[in-house]
Amino acid sequence: MTAAAQSAAAVRPSTMSPFEQVKKHITDALDAIGVTDAEAEIVMTPNAIRDATLEVETKKGPRKLPAYRVQFNNARGPYKGGIRFHPNADLEEVKALAATMAVKCAVIDVPLGGAKGGVAFDPKEYDRDDIEKISRAYIRAMHPYLGIDIDIAAPDVYTTPEIMGWMLDEYETITGKNEPGMITGKPLVLGGSVGRDTATAQGAVHVLQAYVREQDLDPNNLRVAIQGFGNAGSVIAKLLHEAGYTIIALSDSKGTLHDTNGLDPDRVEEAKKAGGSVTAAAGGGAEALDGTAILALDCDILIPAALDNQIREDNVGSIRAKIILELANNPTTPEADAILAERDVTVIPDVLANAGGVTVSYFEWVQNRQQYYWTKEEVDERLKQKMLAAYATLSARVHAESVSYRDAAYRIGMERIHRAMAQRGRYETH
Ligand code: NAD
């Protein structure tokens, strides 16, 4: 097992599998909105599970890599979801992420369903040529199930716009079609959307700002700790820094960087580029700590922006933040969620907080269909409208039903999916 796989495997002590955890949120929501047990069984079963073994000749020798595409629900539109390259990307995790995508698309109200893909390997052990081979092999295995009207792929953890470009090229070579809308998060030159690279973080900032305004808080008095310094984490660090929040800690897979006086995310990014980790920026008032330290630091807002299963029953007691903004998918286990609710910690859930990514992916898909491209201002404005509208609906539900933001979000999302299922007659037996 690689070091990355060991550290990832070490954080799986929830009694529930990742898919069971998401199912618990869905079941609670379906109970609350009065869906029958028979209907619940149907809506909670993934529509299709595609798996394959990618046989790839790498520079390290021949490899057989498990690969997945889970198509959870398409009642509201074509399947949509990213592809993750990670040693932990097993079927249970991919199923959980596919279900989360379906709920997220419904919460943000874009006409798409939910899917997710994964390849179980550690991309840090392979060079660019091997990653390209693995990316193309994934599409060779999965292309019959993908397409602009069927299932639209995208980046996720350790997959990039460059990888989306290779995947699009492989797909179009096999099918002989020009079909940029089969994948989003592409480089601009291949039909990507302006604003997609910052969309996840920007969407979360709109939601956080709306919450902060509603609670009459002042960003200048709020201290933020962010776990993960990748696409999502590094961009939100910069945006919140610009908006006046104090970024007191940043972390990545190698460690945590902490400074009570505040960090400058641009400087940390430069140091990480040169030194391989955020901890390379240690010095002056900034101290390097181990990776897990980030969760227990004294701060007002904690932003998990790395992987799932980070806030668990065994470590939730050490969390001091009063607001958790879930930029990662499924970072909090249901057991930890219940404890946070008892302690009155506000958790703004992934299915809203990080929905800016899929929203601009949806915009990218719309632009590809029209072959007509929007300006950055248009994308930004439409993203803002979508995030604020979804937040307002969610907040109203939280107050009307006295439930957590997560429960309200799952109720809204599952209500919309359930209605579409019923209208399609998907619950009827023929
Ligand atoms: P990324 O690959 O760009 O970055 C992942 C980051 O997490 C890296 O900085 C890595 O060092 C860090 N990391 C890995 N293991 C860690 C650990 N144990 N402790 C601390 N940091 C660790 O991925 P990303 O696109 O930023 O995605 C991060 C999370 O956000 C994922 O849960 C993903 O599903 C979610 N998300 C991303 C998007 C998007 O548009 N990028 C959209 C929605 C949700």
Side-chain angles (χ1 to χ4, degrees), residues 365-398:
W365 178 70
V366 169
Q367 293 170 76
N368 293 152
R369 300 195 79 107
Q370 298 176 338
Q371 294 289 357
Y372 183 76
Y373 289 86
W374 308 350
T375 62
K376 176 87 165 60
E377 290 68 32
E378 285 169 314
V379 170
D380 285 349
E381 186 50 36
R382 286 173 171 148
L383 172 64
K384 187 173 176 185
Q385 280 171 17
K386 272 287 193 203
M387 298 308 300
L388 293 183
Y391 178 79
T393 306
L394 181 57
S395 175
R397 188 91 175 222
V398 165

Side-chain angles (χ1 to χ4, degrees), residues 217-237:
L217 300 169
D218 178 358
N220 293 303
N221 296 331
L222 294 171
R223 297 158 306 148
V224 184
I226 304 171
Q227 182 197 40
F229 200 66
N231 178 283
S234 68
V235 178
I236 201 163

Side-chain angles (χ1 to χ4, degrees), residues 207-253:
V207 168
L208 181 65
Q209 293 279 54
Y211 176 81
V212 162
R213 276 195 297 275
E214 206 175 75
Q215 299 293 317
D216 217 5
L217 300 169
D218 178 358
N220 293 303
N221 296 331
L222 294 171
R223 297 158 306 148
V224 184
I226 304 171
Q227 182 197 40
F229 200 66
N231 178 283
S234 68
V235 178
I236 201 163
K238 291 179 206 169
L239 293 174
L240 292 180
H241 178 68
E242 277 163 29
Y245 295 77
T246 306
I247 311 298
I248 59 122
L250 295 165
S251 80
D252 58 26
S253 58

Side-chain angles (χ1 to χ4, degrees), residues 84 156-158 196 200 229-232 252-253 305-306 327-329 354:
R84 176 172 292 198
D156 191 69
V157 172
Y158 296 145
R196 176 61 186 88
T200 302
F229 200 66
N231 178 283
D252 58 26
S253 58
L327 210 53
N329 282 309
N354 70 32

